[in-house]
Amino acid sequence: MSAPEEQGHRRRIPRRVRTRRRRERWIRRSLAAVLALIMLLCGAVVVAYLLTGVPEPHPETVSQSTVFLDAGGEYLGRRGPVDRQDVPLSQVPRRVQDAVIAAENRSFRTDSGISPSAVVRAAVSTLSGGERQGGSTITQQYVKNALLSPEQSLSRKAREALIAVKLDRTRSKDSILEGYLNTVYFGRGAAGIESAARNYFGVDAKDLTLAQGAALAAIINLPSYYERAGADAKVTATLEKRWSWVLDGMRTSGTITAKERLAAAFPAFRFYPPGNTDGQRQYLIDAAATEAADRLGITVDQLARGGYTVRTTFDLAAQQATAEQVRGAPAARKGTRLHTAVVELVPGDGAVRVLYGGADYARQPFNDAVNGAVEAGTALDPFRAVRFTGPLATLSRTAAPSPLRLASAYAATAAAGGTYAKPYTVAKITRGGRTSYTARPDTQRAMASVQAQMLTKYTGAAGAVGSFAGGAGSGPGARTLWQTASDDRLSVTVALFAEYPAAGKRPARPAHLPDTASNLAAALTESVSSKAPEVPPAGLP
């Protein structure tokens, strides 16, 4: 074909055909470019997945607190950097697990660890500068809370998704759920299901009911708002609606029956904010923490971070009643400060029920009952002619014993027939559901039975109650006053002394007690005859 003929042939191809061919070529090239881009992105994701490791949890999510309870299981307080205690998933009722899944991620048992729609939504929101989007899976929430920083960025969100997928492929769903339940924040300062159960309902996680579990699950969404449930009517009403939604979700998924859904009643919450744990409780916690650390062979700091539960021997109600009596006592002489120490323990066993060492820990952390060296004076008269053995061997030569030491001596003589029992404040220590320590009374013969009978007669303890009073400078203008009352169930010792507080370079010095001091001592010991231990002192179940 000649050149003119070829040019004529080109002119004969319709323009629309040429346009269609150009569009087809553009589409093919565009598709190829998109496909190459997709393959490149997929490759990048695969490489990123392979290079991404599962980081160790943050130190703060591993740290736990140690909780202290009184002899009856009443919460005393905690020690540690964060209010959290790990519990195995086996100690979280299945209905509580299902409630959390219904509230936070209903596809948790079957998903791959991420919610694609939530990831896309979060990415679009981040790029557009919109509000932060939620909707993450339980696995993603665990990764975000325990393994990554709280930074809000697209790169962190992408890393979160990669780690979540890897976690889902390398760990069981139960393992992920356990980690989540032990780290998620519930408000009221509580991190993890165990602390949340205690803060909201005063029970262990293993004892949560369906209704309580559903309420805690509903709180996870907005913990700082819902933590006032039970104290704020509006917050309580809002939480009840979400609580119903959680239970309805459980009913729809078949994890509870229609009958169980109907029977569920919105639970009652512990009052919030809680009372101050200073005052009397911290005196008790100090004494028990020192003893518990010694029993476990660790430091007090290690105990605080260890996630232990320490069941003490204390009777919190009796401790508070004692504090009220002291608070209502007449004031000390002008310019002086009155100190009161009260020790109540179980004769023949040594379990300490009351350990009153000051009016307020925040103002006086020094415990007069444990560490105070108080003039004994005539309080030691019954022991002058007695030959003690063992721990009490030097008591009669001690001019200023601690109230705890003198209390144990009277308990060993007038109340326990000469058997000395070493005072103790820790009955049981557990961790993660396992018992680490159980107390056993440490007793030994401190004097002959004949001498014990003589002392019993001397102190007037032949009947239901024996009582003895003494002190230094007894009578008007006394500097110290002791009073002890005992029977075979309880022994209580009260020590009163006054001082002129330190001022400038002048140290504190003894002062005379008010004339009403003997009335206060008598009032504090009066109830011994009618009280008896409410729980076993040692070997608690």
Side-chain angles (χ1 to χ4, degrees), residues 240-313:
E240 186 169 3
K241 291 178 182 178
R242 183 166 173 80
W243 171 82
S244 295
W245 174 78
V246 171
L247 288 173
D248 290 342
M250 296 179 71
R251 174 68 192 100
T252 300
S253 65
T255 54
I256 60 173
T257 65
K259 183 178 180 180
E260 289 172 320
R261 173 65 186 93
L262 265 179
F266 192 61
F269 295 85
R270 295 185 72 184
F271 181 77
Y272 185 81
N276 196 333
T277 59
D278 285 337
Q280 291 305 302
R281 295 173 186 241
Q282 291 298 342
Y283 288 116
L284 307 183
I285 292 172
D286 265 2
T290 300
E291 182 177 326
D294 181 65
R295 299 298 187 191
L296 296 174
I298 58 178
T299 67
V300 173
D301 285 342
Q302 289 172 326
L303 177 80
R305 299 191 302 267
Y308 297 94
T309 296
V310 178
R311 176 75 71 93
T312 69
T313 61

Side-chain angles (χ1 to χ4, degrees), residues 74-422:
E74 182 72 19
Y75 178 71
L76 286 178
R78 69 175 181 87
R79 287 285 170 86
V82 61
D83 190 1
R84 189 180 75 84
Q85 287 186 301
D86 281 348
V87 290
L89 192 64
S90 60
Q91 289 193 22
V92 181
R94 180 65 186 228
R95 296 295 170 79
V96 178
Q97 300 176 35
D98 292 336
V100 171
I101 291 171
E104 292 297 304
N105 180 195
R106 296 184 181 181
S107 65
F108 171 71
R109 295 288 182 189
T110 57
D111 64 33
S112 62
I114 63 170
S115 169
S117 60
V119 173
V120 172
R121 198 165 56 243
V124 171
S125 177
T126 302
L127 291 173
S128 63
E131 292 185 1
R132 187 161 52 103
Q133 296 292 316
S136 298
T137 64
I138 282 176
T139 308
Q140 286 176 271
Q141 290 184 56
Y142 173 63
V143 170
K144 177 179 65 176
N145 295 335
L147 309 181
L148 294 179
S149 69
E151 173 195 3
Q152 295 298 322
S153 66
L154 189 57
S155 61
R156 195 209 59 82
K157 193 70 178 177
R159 187 161 180 248
E160 172 191 304
L162 287 172
I163 295 174
V165 172
K166 179 162 281 192
L167 205 63
D168 189 78
R169 293 175 63 87
T170 56
R171 296 188 190 175
S172 68
K173 291 288 188 181
D174 280 353
S175 174
I176 295 170
L177 184 60
E178 179 180 298
Y180 175 77
L181 288 174
N182 279 321
T183 55
V184 67
Y185 184 62
F186 285 89
R188 297 195 178 188
I193 191 74
E194 178 75 2
S195 296
R198 185 178 61 248
N199 277 274
Y200 283 93
F201 301 112
V203 300
D204 293 333
K206 62 182 176 60
D207 298 319
L208 287 168
T209 65
L210 168 63
Q212 291 171 337
L216 291 181
I219 285 170
I220 295 173
N221 178 250
L222 286 172
S224 59
Y225 175 75
Y226 289 130
E227 67 183 3
R228 294 192 59 81
D232 185 304
K234 182 179 178 182
V235 171
T236 305
T238 305
L239 179 61
E240 186 169 3
K241 291 178 182 178
R242 183 166 173 80
W243 171 82
S244 295
W245 174 78
V246 171
L247 288 173
D248 290 342
M250 296 179 71
R251 174 68 192 100
T252 300
S253 65
T255 54
I256 60 173
T257 65
K259 183 178 180 180
E260 289 172 320
R261 173 65 186 93
L262 265 179
F266 192 61
F269 295 85
R270 295 185 72 184
F271 181 77
Y272 185 81
N276 196 333
T277 59
D278 285 337
Q280 291 305 302
R281 295 173 186 241
Q282 291 298 342
Y283 288 116
L284 307 183
I285 292 172
D286 265 2
T290 300
E291 182 177 326
D294 181 65
R295 299 298 187 191
L296 296 174
I298 58 178
T299 67
V300 173
D301 285 342
Q302 289 172 326
L303 177 80
R305 299 191 302 267
Y308 297 94
T309 296
V310 178
R311 176 75 71 93
T312 69
T313 61
F314 302 122
D315 182 338
L316 183 57
Q319 180 83 17
Q320 292 173 336
T322 299
E324 286 299 320
Q325 279 189 297
V326 175
R327 193 175 295 118
R333 297 175 187 271
K334 185 177 180 180
T336 67
R337 179 182 299 163
L338 179 64
H339 289 258
T340 304
V342 182
V343 179
E344 184 179 296
L345 47 77
V346 180
D349 181 278
V352 179
R353 294 294 182 218
V354 171
L355 196 64
Y356 180 91
D360 188 353
Y361 185 91
R363 290 182 294 176
Q364 180 196 305
F366 183 85
N367 191 325
D368 286 322
V370 178
N371 303 310
V374 185
E375 285 184 281
T378 58
L380 287 175
D381 281 355
F383 305 128
R384 303 294 185 191
V386 174
R387 184 175 180 180
F388 280 119
T389 60
L392 299 180
T394 61
L395 179 64
S396 60
R397 301 191 300 274
T398 304
S402 72
L404 180 60
R405 191 179 185 205
L406 190 62
S408 66
Y410 271 100
T413 55
T419 299
Y420 171 81
K422 183 179 180 180

Side-chain angles (χ1 to χ4, degrees), residues 410 414 456 458-462 465-469 483-487 492 521-522 525:
Y410 271 100
T456 299
Y458 184 88
T459 58
V465 177
S467 182
F468 181 82
Q483 182 147 342
T484 292
S486 304
D487 63 15
V492 62
T525 56

Side-chain angles (χ1 to χ4, degrees), residues 58-72:
H58 296 309
E60 58 268 27
T61 64
V62 177
S63 295
Q64 302 181 61
S65 63
T66 285
V67 171
F68 296 82
L69 311 174
D70 83 345

